[in-house]
Amino acid sequence: MTKKYKVVGIGNAVVDVLTMADDSFLEMMGIEKGIMQLVERERAEVLYGSMKDRKQAAGGSVANTLAGIGKLGLSTGFVGRVHDDALGRFYAEAMEMDGTRFVNPPVPGGELPTSRSMIFVSPDGERSMNTYLGISAELGSADVDPDVAADAEIVFLEGYLFDKDKGKEAFIDMARACRAAGGKAGIAISDPFCVERHRDDFLTLIEHELDYVIGNEDEIRSLFEATDMEEALAKTAAICPLVACTRSGDGVTIVADGERVDVPVERIVPVDATGAGDGFAAGFIYGMATGADIRTCGEMGCTIAGEVIRHVGPRAERNLLALLRDKNLV
């Protein structure tokens, strides 16, 4: 039976607001360079007011991935939570315009404001992210329609939402509904610090509820508190059938049912590294959804990630299917 969606993601619905900023500006504003830090509402308003030549887009890690998959021509849906305010309506409309169905309508009433992330991009391509989570962090099981999950061939979960019990419950509900209907479920680990706070729950989810996991070296090592990358990768592969570990300029290592593939990348100086991991996930999951072998999946992911970091913003701007054709990947 043909399903409505190739991929449905669940994650933080965050409006990305980007601007260029040099190191002296970051120091003046007390912004720690190169990391994502959570900020309170008052701090978010101060930072937003300090931004010049702002570029605004519907963001969030999984939402960025879905946008890439949608540009590649597959049907996608997004489970997220926004407030019925100006930013929330912008977000929902922007997702729909990008070809991804925004499953849940904006929430009216006295809820928290729509989430936003102020991203300051340095001349060297580093991004300093200051995120006010707002309403998106309140996403829970009530926001999950099991029929939507069951109507997806692949479900993709965002690790950032794992900090609250209601987020964990939503993940399990999504994964189980998808898998019970014959689909596959997986996660982007997203944050090694979140793993440290919820390591046992992460490992239980990966081992018992998921079919694939995507993470970078720090995130994979954090799962097992390992200093050795190979040890961490082997342990992760022992509890999950498909593991993709991104290693920055050293490429990507994929382990699928015991088979290992190492995929190199083209080394370039990024204009803006924002969204590189999300772009990799888009290409990788597109490969999964279209039946590509694991090496090709990895090459697709690396190709799209390489395109994302060539410009400011978390999403590739060119025709992605044409890009993959140019690389003889489709």
Side-chain angles (χ1 to χ4, degrees), residues 269-304:
V269 176
V271 174
D272 173 16
T274 309
D278 307 335
F280 172 82
F284 186 80
I285 294 172
Y286 173 80
M288 290 173 52
T290 55
D293 61 75
I294 58 171
R295 178 176 294 279
T296 301
C297 289
E299 290 173 345
M300 288 177 170
C302 291
T303 297
I304 293 177

Side-chain angles (χ1 to χ4, degrees), residues 98-219:
D98 278 345
T100 293
R101 185 188 170 211
F102 193 76
V103 175
N104 301 329
V107 178
E111 292 270 3
L112 294 168
T114 294
S115 309
R116 73 288 310 264
S117 182
M118 282 66 64
I119 303 172
F120 297 86
V121 184
S122 307
D124 60 2
E126 282 286 352
R127 81 277 197 207
S128 307
M129 304 170 67
N130 301 265
T131 303
Y132 169 62
L133 288 179
I135 193 174
S136 70
E138 300 303 312
L139 188 145
S141 292
D143 299 296
V144 174
D145 183 343
D147 291 337
V148 171
D151 215 6
E153 293 185 15
I154 296 173
V155 157
F156 187 45
L157 316 174
E158 180 181 312
Y160 287 126
L161 272 178
F162 213 67
D163 256 331
K164 290 195 174 183
D165 287 342
K166 60 176 66 178
K168 297 176 186 178
E169 292 165 1
F171 278 9
I172 292 171
D173 289 348
M174 284 282 289
R176 288 181 178 174
C178 177
R179 298 177 88 203
K184 292 184 177 181
I187 193 169
I189 299 175
S190 301
D191 183 5
F193 302 109
C194 187
V195 173
E196 290 174 11
R197 292 189 291 269
H198 308 280
R199 184 171 287 108
D200 289 344
D201 287 341
F202 253 110
L203 291 173
T204 298
L205 179 76
I206 290 170
E207 182 172 7
H208 298 292
E209 308 288 353
L210 302 182
D211 303 289
Y212 67 95
V213 60
I214 300 172
N216 63 30
E217 290 181 278
D218 290 339
E219 293 158 0

